């Protein structure tokens, strides 16, 4: 068994500084309720000069790319952990657990959620096929895995909307060709709609648009929303007596 080489003191120091820069950037975002941040503000908070940060990140966009990739990774881990706590044969329960984890992560990390899945930061463009693309795919593969698992178990029913355009079929063939043997374009379309339903509710809540509802009412609405998404997509519907989110 190969053993990874020990990092030098210099490499450990560099990694620690990179971690501190990212942590400071997120802290400033939380404090200022924004997803935008400048090297000057980060450097001031860390007791450094702004030019010194360029030894660790090429520019602000490189820092944002790293933060977005970290956010997607954290979200993916949260979804995987929640779904993994439920047996493979309980697809409805796994969907409910993953949906609840998506909601809870957004509530606990509102600025990171906004950075990853909110409005784009002004002037920032993610690199094509870069770390953010790979991290996003890994996170969203958690949802695709639920549909594939249900199909393999024979418990994936037809979606309520059974018509899918040629454009949807082409999208599936280009981006998720590995699913084609088990999932028809109409179900691929339903999978995208399921994520859109989950994300839509989560955004409304994360940005305060559901604050007029009492917490218990929001919880009940979310639970029914998750069950409705399953019903529309063909996933097994989570039991109504199981808490969701």
């Amino acid at each position: 068994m190969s053993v990874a080489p020990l990092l030098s003191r210099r490499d450990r120091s560099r990694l620690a500084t990179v971690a501190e820069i990212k942590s400071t950037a997120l802290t400033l975002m939380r404090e200022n309720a924004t997803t935008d941040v400048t090297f000057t503000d980060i450097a001031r908070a860390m007791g450094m000069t702004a030019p010194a940060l360029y030894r660790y990140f090429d520019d602000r966009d490189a820092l944002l790319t790293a933060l977005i990739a970290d956010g997607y990774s954290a979200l993916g881990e949260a979804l995987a952990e929640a779904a993994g706590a439920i047996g493979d044969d309980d697809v409805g329960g796994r969907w409910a657990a993953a949906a609840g984890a998506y909601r809870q992560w957004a509530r606990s990390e509102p600025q990171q959620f906004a950075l990853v899945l909110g409005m784009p930061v002004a002037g920032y463009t993610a690199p094509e096929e870069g770390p953010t693309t790979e991290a996003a795919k890994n996170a969203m593969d958690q949802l695709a895995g639920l549909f594939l698992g249900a199909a393999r178990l024979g418990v994936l029913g037809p979606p309520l909307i059974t018509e899918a355009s040629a454009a949807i079929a082409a999208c599936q063939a280009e981006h998720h060709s590995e699913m084609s043997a088990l999932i028809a374009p109409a179900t691929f379309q339903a999978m995208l709609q399921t994520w859109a339903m989950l994300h839509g509710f989560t955004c409304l809540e994360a940005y305060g648009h559901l604050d007029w509802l009492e917490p218990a009412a929001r919880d009940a609405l979310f639970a029914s929303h998750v069950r409705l998404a399953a019903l529309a997509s063909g996933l097994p519907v989570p039991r109504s007596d199981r808490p969701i989110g």
Side-chain angles (χ1 to χ4, degrees):
M1 182 176 65
S2 62
V3 178
L6 294 175
L7 294 174
S8 67
R9 181 183 297 274
R10 180 178 180 179
D11 288 340
R12 293 197 302 272
S13 176
R14 180 178 179 81
L15 288 175
T17 303
V18 167
E20 184 180 359
I21 291 170
K22 292 194 287 188
S23 175
T24 301
L26 288 174
T27 297
L28 290 172
M29 289 178 184
R30 295 185 191 105
E31 290 176 350
N32 299 318
T34 181
T35 55
D36 203 357
V37 68
T38 68
F39 270 17
T40 300
D41 291 338
I42 296 170
R44 183 183 300 114
M46 293 179 63
M48 299 173 63
T49 63
L53 296 187
Y54 287 93
R55 294 201 295 266
Y56 303 93
F57 292 96
D58 290 341
D59 51 28
R60 185 205 65 156
D61 282 7
L63 172 58
L64 289 176
T65 294
L67 290 174
I68 292 170
D70 287 351
Y72 271 122
S73 295
L75 175 58
E77 289 170 6
L79 298 181
E81 181 179 356
I86 309 296
D88 290 345
D89 59 339
D90 183 4
V91 178
R94 289 171 67 84
W95 156 238
Y102 192 98
R103 180 195 186 200
Q104 291 299 336
W105 188 79
R107 295 168 75 178
S108 64
E109 297 289 346
Q111 295 317 127
Q112 199 168 18
F113 176 75
L115 181 65
V116 171
L117 289 162
M119 290 291 291
V121 179
Y124 170 76
T125 301
E128 292 185 10
E129 302 303 323
T132 55
T133 301
E134 184 64 25
K137 184 179 185 303
N138 291 339
M140 294 302 104
D141 277 352
Q142 300 299 323
L143 177 59
L146 292 172
F147 280 81
L148 288 171
R152 293 188 180 107
L153 289 170
V155 296
L156 183 62
L160 289 184
I161 304 300
T162 57
E163 302 83 14
S165 71
I168 289 291
C171 179
Q172 180 181 0
E174 179 179 357
H175 298 289
H176 288 278
S177 59
E178 75 285 356
M179 301 177 68
S180 299
L182 287 173
I183 291 179
T187 295
F188 175 74
Q189 174 178 266
M191 183 185 77
L192 298 180
Q193 291 165 337
T194 298
W195 174 63
M197 291 177 69
L198 172 62
H199 185 66
F201 184 101
T202 303
C203 283
L204 285 173
E205 183 175 48
Y207 303 138
H209 299 297
L210 296 180
D211 286 354
W212 61 278
L213 287 170
E214 295 296 326
R218 286 204 304 272
D219 289 345
L221 182 63
F222 180 75
S224 63
H225 194 71
V226 169
R227 299 181 78 242
L228 176 63
L231 181 65
S233 68
L235 284 174
V237 178
R239 299 200 317 261
S240 60
D241 62 341
R242 170 178 288 168
I244 300 176

